Amino acid sequence: RAAAKGRMLRPATLTNALRSRRPGSGLASTPCRMVRALKTFEGGEWGLGIQLSPLKASGAAAGSWGHAAANGSFALVLPNGRRPLAAVFLTNRSESGHAAKSVLEALAAATRGSA
């Protein structure tokens, strides 16, 4: 019932989850080279198990969050004025990146400039 009413997490818990966990600058925080399969996530911003701004490169409104997988699947929340947009694209094919990219570009265009 809580999910249907949009109350899965307490607001304080969601705020904490959306806080960046990026380490400060310095030698200890220099990332290692990622294997090819994980290149998608290189330089990504993460909260507490949540990918922050996964659509930053596409020009979507700031504040998007969720998870985008290397195969193109994603589950995201995008700011869209007073009513955020939740979008899910699931695929089990390793070459689905082009389809996911088209969907993500359309979502970014639909939410661009709204916050």
Side-chain angles (χ1 to χ4, degrees), residues 72-111:
S73 294
F74 60 82
L76 303 171
V77 174
L78 301 112
N80 191 29
R82 294 182 64 213
R83 295 186 61 156
L85 175 65
V88 177
F89 181 80
L90 301 175
T91 180
N92 64 354
R93 301 188 64 188
S94 62
E95 298 298 323
S96 298
H98 62 281
K101 183 178 179 185
S102 296
V103 174
L104 288 170
E105 287 172 353
L107 290 169
T111 61

Side-chain angles (χ1 to χ4, degrees), residues 38-86:
L38 299 177
K39 280 279 193 199
T40 303
F41 307 108
E42 193 169 41
E45 184 80 16
W46 295 87
L48 190 58
I50 297 174
Q51 192 174 354
L52 305 177
S53 299
L55 300 181
K56 189 184 306 182
S58 64
S64 60
W65 57 272
H67 177 70
N71 74 344
S73 294
F74 60 82
L76 303 171
V77 174
L78 301 112
N80 191 29
R82 294 182 64 213
R83 295 186 61 156
L85 175 65

